[in-house]
Amino acid sequence: MKSPFYTAEHDAFRHVMRRFVEKEIAPFAHDWDEAGEFPRVLYRKAAEIGLLGLGFPEEYGGIAADQFMKIVASQELARAGAGGVSASLMSHTIGSPPIARAARPEVKARVLPQVLAGEKISALAITEPGGGSDVANLRTRARRDGDHYVVSGEKTFITSGMRADYLTVAVRTGGEGAGGVSLLLIEGDTPGLSRTKLKKMGWWASDTATLHFDDCRVPAENLIGEEGQGFKIIMRNFNSERMGMAAGCTGFARVCLDEAIAYAKERKTFGKPLAQHQVIRHKIVDMAQKVAASQAMLEMLAWRSEQGESPVAEICMMKNQATQTMAFCASEAVQIFGGAGFMRGIKAERIYREVKVNAIGGGTEEIMKDLASRQMGL
């Protein structure tokens, strides 16, 4: 359907993305999931079509892009039904914005071109084993020692944590609370940094790790922004992350809908196609209704963001809306597939395993509700 939000430029990029996903990701998604990783060369291929540079400064190899171009990217990636690939391939979209926004010019010039060219991998490291989303009370400490910081502590559930070359790490440089939090760029080969791979319910192709910092010496020039300003930078990062997650979740929900429709037309039970059973038709309509509502909410918030607004409450609600839509559609798709939906190898089964991480990552449903209610003055 025609939309007032998408131009010919958006449509052209969608075509490029679709060909890329159909050629470079979809045929291999199942094997990569079973292997627990995807080839590092995929980053370079993604960079070649401009995917990695979207929204980053052109002087470092980025490409000017509005919110709708980013929605196109997220939702076309979702067509492969491989959330683990999307998560790690695009981990720089949460790891590198703080660098582009607040790092020293020489650090930007050294790091960003390599990341946006697909030569290096960027990741964000905030969550800690004992803290979850409680960023203001993180414990990983960075002590100033001359022209270095000495970092000690742990981070966990870090996407691209095993092979990231650049880690944007939240550390405590000051006292308790949000005002004591800073951001440091820590390079992957820093002595004292070790990593432990984590096994997960879903996102198998995405490497996820616990990071251990044992008196890592980090050059003071790698401080991102000013000391004590890290919390503000992190919070600004969250809006973009949640919009991206909402776009992806709505895309995954649509994949489940499309797969369910195709299967319902082919599969015959009791002498007729599944699609001719009223209960199945009703399930599909319920799925379509939720996908359409989520997409409409997503696009309106993207438009508002383009107008300079920062609708934090609505973005939090949008993330919940999208993850709930994904959960509903994945469950109904597997139900429509029946026994076949319980077998590994189809997109709906893979997406079903990946539902919960989206409702947790970037802030749990409960945190989203609390943030939204606070923004509403409650």
Side-chain angles (χ1 to χ4, degrees), residues 161-178:
M162 289 302 297
R163 56 184 180 181
D165 302 288
Y166 296 114
L167 296 157
T168 300
V169 185
V171 296
R172 184 163 300 285
T173 53
E176 297 301 310

Side-chain angles (χ1 to χ4, degrees), residues 122-156:
S122 168
L124 181 69
I126 295 177
T127 303
E128 298 184 349
S133 298
D134 189 4
V135 180
N137 290 306
L138 61 85
R139 297 181 179 180
T140 297
R141 182 160 291 280
R143 172 178 55 84
R144 186 66 183 259
D145 182 25
D147 57 358
H148 285 76
Y149 287 95
V150 180
V151 181
S152 298
E154 285 187 323
K155 300 292 179 179
T156 196

Side-chain angles (χ1 to χ4, degrees), residues 59-82:
E59 62 187 295
Y60 303 116
I63 299 172
D66 62 8
Q67 290 289 337
F68 295 99
M69 200 69 83
K70 295 176 183 178
I71 288 174
V72 169
S74 294
Q75 297 194 330
E76 288 302 315
L77 279 174
R79 290 176 64 86

Side-chain angles (χ1 to χ4, degrees), residues 2 11 34 144 156 168 183 185 206 247 287 328 346 373 377:
K2 291 291 183 181
D11 292 339
E34 296 294 328
R144 186 66 183 259
T156 196
T168 300
L183 282 176
L185 175 68
S206 170
M287 294 165 71
F328 179 84
I346 67 168
S373 66

Side-chain angles (χ1 to χ4, degrees), residues 188-226:
D189 58 357
T190 300
L193 169 63
S194 58
R195 322 184 196 206
T196 303
K197 187 172 184 177
L198 301 175
K199 292 186 176 181
K200 312 172 295 295
M201 178 191 300
W203 278 10
W204 294 351
S206 170
D207 90 68
T208 308
T210 293
L211 309 178
H212 312 272
F213 302 98
D214 185 11
D215 289 338
C216 295
R217 294 186 65 83
V218 180
E221 66 180 21
N222 284 19
L223 180 68
I224 299 174
E226 302 296 325

Side-chain angles (χ1 to χ4, degrees), residues 329-346:
C329 291
S331 179
E332 291 294 75
V334 169
Q335 190 70 24
I336 289 170
F337 270 86
F342 196 62
M343 299 295 105
R344 298 229 290 258
I346 67 168

